[in-house]
Amino acid sequence: METSATIDDGVDACYKPLPPLYFAFMLIWGFSAISWTFNTYANSHFQPNKLQWMLASVPWIKALQLSLSFLFWYSCFYSNMCSLWMSFGVYIMGVLFQTSAFVSFFLISHGYCITCHRLSLSERRTMALLGCVFYLTLVGYRASVPYFPVLLLFNYLIVFYVIFNHISQNLMDLRDQLSFIEDEDVQAMRDAVYTKYIMFKKFQGAMHIVAVSELAMFISMDSSVESYWIRLLVREWAQFFIFMYIGWIFRSQQQLAPRFSVMPVLRSKGVSAVPPIYSIEMDAETFKEFRKHEWHIGVPTLPFKGSLKDSVLVVIQQPHTYSSLANS
C-alpha cells in the first residue's frame, strides 16, 4: 500500500535546486560504482581482494539513495505527490550508506586484506557490535528521538578511537618490519611492506578529514531552508572525494608491489617480524611436478607447534617466465 501526500500550495521554492542536484550526483556515483566494480573485476586475477569488493559495494548503495532522493523531489515538484514510502527508502539507504562506509573503515583500520587475510573471531564480533550500535544510533538520531544526538556523539568518539588506535598499531608493526628488513637485508619484501606503510599513513590523514567533517556537520547550527541546497552540495562533494580517495589508496597493488599479497592469515598479537626469504630456481619439469604437491606458494609455513621465528617463506619464480625475461 502506498501512502502519498498531495501538496496543494506547492513545495517551498528554496528546494527547487534539489532535483537537478540529486540527479547530477546520482550520475556521478553511478558512474563511479560501475568503474569501481569493473576495475575490481579486471584486477581480481592480479590480487584477489575481498576488501576491494566491499569498498565497491558502497558507491552502489549511495547511488541508490540518490536515485530515490531524485525521484522523491522530482515527483513533489512536477507531480505534486510526495511518496511517504520513497522518503522512507531515502532515509534507510542513507543510514545504510553511512554504516557500510564506517564498516569499510573498520576493516581497513584492522588491516583486513592488507596485513592479514582475515580477522579473528573476537575482531569480527567487536566490529559487528560497533556496526549494529552505530546503525541503531543513526536511526534514532535521524528520527529525532530524544537523547539520541548525545548517544550518536558518544558513538562517534568510540568509533574514531577504535579506528585510529588500530591504524597506529598497524603503522607501528609495519615500521618494525621495515627496520627488520633493513637490519637483516631482506630486500625481497621491502617494497610490499613499504607500500602498506604508505597506504596506512594516507588512510590516517583521510580519517582525520572524515572526523573533522563529520563533527562539523553534526554541530552545524545552520538549519535554514534557504541554504539547505548549499549544505547538500558541500556534503555530497565531501563524501564523494573522501571515499574515492580512500578507494584509490587501497586499489590493487599487486603490479606495483609484487609480494603485496604475502601476509599471515590472522593478525599476530606477538612481535611481528618478517621471516627470511629464500629464492630458488628449478627447471620446467621439476616445477610442474612440484605444483602437484600440496604446497602454498608465497605463504609463510609454520612447523607443528612452531613459532614465527622458525617460519620459512618460500617464493617461487616460474621457470618459463624467468627465461622470457632473460631473453628479452
Side-chain angles (χ1 to χ4, degrees):
M1 177 177 175
E2 185 176 357
T3 305
S4 306
T6 304
I7 302 182
D8 299 324
D9 299 330
V11 184
D12 195 315
C14 297
Y15 294 115
K16 194 74 173 178
L18 295 186
L21 277 179
Y22 280 123
F23 183 75
F25 280 110
M26 177 191 71
L27 294 179
I28 292 172
W29 278 96
F31 177 77
S32 301
I34 294 172
S35 303
W36 202 327
T37 304
F38 177 78
N39 183 68
T40 302
Y41 176 77
N43 292 315
S44 59
H45 60 286
F46 289 113
Q47 180 182 342
N49 197 328
K50 296 179 181 178
L51 177 63
Q52 272 296 321
W53 286 112
M54 175 67 188
L55 292 174
S57 66
V58 179
W60 286 108
I61 298 175
K62 183 64 177 180
L64 181 56
Q65 179 210 356
L66 293 169
S67 302
L68 293 174
S69 298
F70 164 72
L71 292 174
F72 173 78
W73 286 105
Y74 184 86
S75 62
C76 281
F77 276 104
Y78 300 102
S79 301
N80 290 330
M81 299 287 288
C82 296
S83 172
L84 178 62
W85 291 113
M86 199 170 293
S87 65
F88 181 72
V90 173
Y91 168 79
I92 292 298
M93 295 309 297
V95 175
L96 281 178
F97 167 73
Q98 282 192 270
T99 305
S100 60
F102 272 94
V103 168
S104 300
F105 300 156
F106 281 144
L107 290 173
I108 294 173
S109 66
H110 281 74
Y112 179 66
C113 291
I114 304 168
T115 58
C116 59
H117 281 293
R118 57 187 178 89
L119 303 182
S120 65
L121 181 60
S122 60
E123 289 174 331
R124 294 197 299 269
R125 286 175 175 173
T126 302
M127 189 177 64
L129 176 62
L130 289 175
C132 290
V133 173
F134 186 75
Y135 176 83
L136 294 175
T137 50
L138 270 178
V139 170
Y141 171 73
R142 295 201 174 191
S144 300
V145 178
Y147 305 112
F148 266 77
V150 178
L151 291 176
L152 182 62
L153 179 60
F154 184 68
N155 198 11
Y156 268 129
L157 295 176
I158 295 176
V159 165
F160 282 114
Y161 170 77
V162 172
I163 290 176
F164 284 117
N165 182 52
H166 280 89
I167 292 175
S168 300
Q169 290 179 3
N170 279 301
L171 286 172
M172 183 175 62
D173 291 343
L174 291 171
R175 277 195 297 266
D176 292 341
Q177 292 181 19
L178 285 172
S179 300
F180 180 85
I181 287 172
E182 295 296 331
D183 295 340
E184 301 295 328
D185 195 25
V186 190
Q187 296 301 319
M189 286 294 294
R190 186 187 183 282
D191 290 343
V193 176
Y194 183 71
T195 299
K196 295 176 184 182
Y197 179 80
I198 295 299
M199 290 167 68
F200 271 107
K201 288 293 290 184
K202 292 180 179 179
F203 179 63
Q204 188 180 48
M207 288 310 300
H208 280 110
I209 298 175
V210 172
V212 172
S213 60
E214 289 289 338
L215 182 62
M217 287 188 290
F218 183 80
I219 65 176
S220 177
M221 302 300 292
D222 185 11
S223 59
S224 61
V225 176
E226 291 77 9
S227 61
Y228 178 78
W229 71 272
I230 299 178
R231 299 197 307 273
L232 172 69
L233 185 65
V234 173
R235 183 189 67 201
E236 293 298 331
W237 274 124
Q239 289 180 348
F240 177 77
F241 282 121
I242 289 173
F243 198 80
M244 290 299 117
Y245 177 66
I246 292 175
W248 178 81
I249 292 173
F250 295 97
R251 68 196 185 280
S252 178
Q253 298 286 340
Q254 190 67 22
Q255 293 172 298
L256 301 179
R259 297 181 178 89
F260 186 88
S261 297
V262 177
M263 63 188 79
V265 176
L266 295 174
R267 179 186 173 91
S268 175
K269 294 184 179 180
V271 179
S272 299
V274 178
I277 297 178
Y278 302 92
S279 178
I280 62 175
E281 296 181 6
M282 59 183 67
D283 55 38
E285 288 298 325
T286 307
F287 184 79
K288 182 179 179 181
E289 294 296 324
F290 182 79
R291 292 188 63 184
K292 292 181 180 179
H293 295 80
E294 295 181 357
W295 288 73
H296 298 284
I297 302 174
V299 177
T301 56
L302 289 175
F304 183 68
K305 295 183 179 179
S307 59
L308 184 64
K309 66 180 181 180
D310 299 321
S311 65
V312 177
L313 182 64
V314 181
V315 179
I316 300 173
Q317 185 178 27
Q318 201 166 0
H320 65 77
T321 305
Y322 177 79
S323 301
S324 61
L325 291 174
N327 295 329
S328 61

